[in-house]
Amino acid sequence: MRTEELRHLRQSIDLARKARDGGNHPFGAVLVDGSGRVLLEGVNTVVTERDCTGHAESNLMREATRRYAPEQLAGSTLYASTEPCAMCAGAIFWGGVRRVVFAFSSEELGQLNRPSEPILRLSCREVFARGSAPTEVVGPVELPEARAVHEGFWT
């Protein structure tokens, strides 16, 4: 993993921390173009917007498809603090982003969740594998701060 990519992942984790500090679930995402320029940031807004689809990646992809051409999105990478859920993986796929890098795995997240919290046990790799166009997935990338942002939140 290149230093630049680790910087983008850490940026997504910082966004997750901001989401948590703002009363939302601790998830963040960053969209970076092929030259390494940050295009957009996304944070979770499920609680504050009272929108179950307000995940960081979905929020980011809604804005990305409004702003950028499909060709630019196809050459971009989405960095996520935590593995995108099935809904977000669908948004990433339909939005045309063909590379995803994440830090904390959904499997590990599931181990932290309280028993009453609903969990959809479907990895983003499984979702992307069913797509008609390939999507590269890199992760989980071991960063202690990716786990730390969730600690104590789900209990």
Side-chain angles (χ1 to χ4, degrees):
M1 175 104 351
R2 297 182 323 234
T3 303
E4 174 184 310
E5 291 193 297
L6 289 172
R7 184 170 42 85
H8 296 312
L9 271 179
R10 287 190 171 103
Q11 183 179 357
S12 73
I13 296 165
D14 287 342
L15 290 165
R17 193 171 296 108
K18 288 177 185 173
R20 181 177 178 166
D21 291 346
N24 287 292
H25 300 162
F27 299 98
V30 178
L31 185 65
V32 178
D33 71 11
S35 66
R37 181 175 61 107
V38 173
L39 299 176
L40 287 173
E41 297 178 338
V43 296
N44 184 286
T45 57
V46 166
V47 176
T48 55
E49 296 293 322
R50 296 187 55 153
D51 177 1
C52 66
T53 68
H55 293 194
E57 301 91 337
S58 291
N59 288 338
L60 183 147
M61 289 307 302
R62 270 198 272 325
E63 188 61 29
T65 56
R66 287 184 193 117
R67 288 190 189 190
Y68 300 104
E71 305 78 43
Q72 189 167 16
L73 293 175
S76 297
T77 299
L78 188 144
Y79 294 88
S81 61
T82 304
E83 181 175 1
C85 72
M87 175 185 69
C88 291
I92 294 164
F93 178 82
W94 291 117
V97 172
R98 295 295 176 244
R99 185 165 188 266
V100 174
V101 180
F102 68 88
F104 197 56
S105 75
S106 59
E107 184 177 320
E108 288 183 273
L109 177 63
Q111 295 169 6
L112 296 179
N113 279 6
R114 55 187 165 252
S116 63
E117 190 72 29
I119 299 172
L120 185 57
R121 296 192 188 279
L122 186 64
S123 77
C124 71
R125 280 185 173 85
E126 291 176 78
V127 174
F128 293 133
R130 302 276 184 160
S132 59
T135 302
E136 178 186 357
V137 179
V138 177
V141 176
E142 187 63 38
L143 292 174
E145 57 266 46
R147 180 183 186 85
V149 75
H150 289 281
E151 288 177 351
F153 183 84
W154 302 104
T155 56

